[in-house]
Structures are given as structure tokens and as C-alpha cells.
Amino acid sequence: MKPRRFGYGYGYGYGRVRRAAALLLLLLLCLCLSSLFLLLLHGSSTPLEPAAAAAAAEARVAEAQAEVEEAPLPPGNSKVAFLFIARNRLPLELVWDAFFRGDKEGRFSILVHSRPGFVLTRATTRSRFFYNRQVNDSIQVDWGEASMITAERILLSHALKDPLNDRFVFVSDSCVPLYNFSYTYDYIMSSSTSFVDSFADTKAGRYNPRMDPVIPVENWRKGSQWAVLIKKHAEVVVDDEVVLPEFQKHCRRRPLPEFWRDWDRPIPAEAWKAHNCIPDEHYVQTLLAQSGLEEELTRRSVTHSAWDLSASKDRERRGWHPVTYKVSDATPRLIKSIKDIDNIYYETENRREWCTSNGKPAPCFLFARKFTRGAGLKLLDSSLIASK
């Protein structure tokens, strides 16, 4: 009798070969089908024309802008509208970000006037509070021209659309807050008046007699453009159709450089005869005086600027602009010296303005300028501003 042969060795090996062959055929079939699909897809597609490609790119940009989320602002009561006037980006955005984080009750709104077409997105600002806060009808602004006061009116007109906005603060892109949000809010809201730096301008050359009789010389005022307006006065500025046209026609800066760097070049002989009128230093002040509203003003600014540059050896710091504080200037001593100011003297009126808040003695200034980005960040890192 022949011994039984178990099919374990031969049969098992043959089964493994058959299964491997089947898997290989399946893989080849998948590769063939994939290749055929790709060939068909490639043959049915055509390259985009340049115009179509450009349109598609613009559509993607528009879609990205539409997806920008605005900073969540919870509903609140009366709000302070911060109206930023900027060239392009906001160099001190992180300083203001820290400032606005101090509010948990939705007591502020933000609007930014920048160059036409500039959009505040994640690509152009690092603070969520500024996402999509630019006005959509901005204009090109030139320093010393009436376009500056037009930009102010544009900001006010947008801010007045929100019925909760009750105070309106003009802010420079080089400005920093000296105190935290709560202190600043209480300081501004405790006053029933606007804070407008306004005084009689007695120097020859600024007032143009051609403004008379629409704007008589006795109503001519001068001061800083960085004002805080109550709603009534903001509406007066936006509704003005009398004073603004006179400024556009007769208030223009003298056609000279801000300061003469090239001292060998002669100054034009007739240039000094021109009226040197800087519109933003006169418009709001003169309009409110013209409207009989000076009794409703606290006639000082809450924004500090350093104009006394007579001792400066740096020509860059002499001219028609206030000093710009650099990183080396950003010290505790500087901030303390500004916070310690409690009165302002107006020589042309022989008037001293003692600063108060809610009926009590208080620092004069809530904000300060002009600071470079590096100087502002140094102050923020040192907890010298926006946190106390």
C-alpha cells in the first residue's frame, strides 16, 4: 500500500502563486484606468486666457477680503469712536491692540481713513480689532491741504451712522494711548463738552482777508487737529456747507518745503508774502467759534505733541512738524513728564487751562505723539503705556 500524500506542501505553494498573480493583474488594471482618465481630462482642458486668469485672481482676492472677520464687539451703551488717520498701515497697531483688549463691554468703535484702495486684512494688520475697519470712500490726503479736513469729515460721517457712538476721537497713526481703556473712556465720557485745542490766532499771515465777511477775523481760531468731539459738534462738522468752501478757496499752506535742508539755496523772494494757512489747524476750531459753540468746549487737546524744538541740534526735528520720538527717546522719564502735565498756558489769550476730569484735577493728556513703531513697542513691552 502506497503511503498517503498530504497536499500541504504542493497545494499551498500553488495557491499562493495564484493569489499573487490575481493581485498583480488587479494593480495593472487600476494603473491603466488611471492613465486613461488623466489623458481624457488633459485632452478636455484648455489653458486660461490672460484676461480670464487675471479675472480669476481678482475674484480670489475679493473672496479673501470677504472672508475677513471683524473683531467681535459685544453690544454696549455709549461708545467712543476712534477715528484713525493713516497713510497706509498702522505702525502702532499692537499698542492699540493691547489698549482695546482692556474693554470687555463693547464701548468703542474703530474707523480708519487710509489711502484709497487699502484694505485692512490679516495680510495688512496683526490686530483683529482693525480687520475691515477702513472707510470705503477714502481720498488721497496731502499734508497742509484741505484734503485733510475732508478726510476728517468722511470719518465723522461714517461714525455717525452708528447711533451708539457718542464721542469721536481723531487719532494719528503715530499716536499712543498713555492710559488703559477704562481710564480713558471714563475721562472722555465724564465731560459733556468737546476737547478742542482752540485759541485766537493773532499772528499775521494765517488769516486771509478774502474770507471776510463769511468768516470774520474775530472768529478765526487755531489749534491741534487731534480733537475729541461730542455728537452735536460732530454733526456740525459733517453738515457744514459754509466754512469748508472758504477754507478750500483761501486756506492753503505756503509753497515752501517743511524746512530748508539745503541752506545754500535761496528762499524765493515773494514766497513769504503768501498766506501760510494749514487747514487742519484752523477748521474745526473756527467752525465751532463761527457757530457760537465755544462755551460748549474744553479748549484744550488731550493729545500731547512736543513743539518746543529750539534746543534740538537735529535738523530733522526742526520745521513744521512736532518732534518724532525714536526708540532711544522712549523712556519712563519721557512718559512721566507727559503724564505730569496738569495745565496748559495760551500766550495769545493770556489764559491758563487747568486740567480736570469729572470735576477733579487730572492729567491733561490721554494720548501722545509722534512715536515710531520701535518706540511704541518699547513702551508697550515696558508696560509704560496702555496698561495703567
Side-chain angles (χ1 to χ4, degrees), residues 29-40:
L29 180 62
C30 290
L31 288 173
C32 291
L33 290 174
S34 299
S35 300
L36 180 62
F37 178 78
L38 290 174
L39 287 172
L40 292 173

Side-chain angles (χ1 to χ4, degrees), residues 198-199 299-300 344-347 349-353:
S198 178
F199 55 90
R299 293 172 61 199
R300 63 178 176 87
I344 305 171
Y345 180 68
Y346 293 91
E347 184 176 356
E349 297 179 346
N350 192 28
R351 169 172 63 93
R352 186 174 297 277
E353 192 80 27

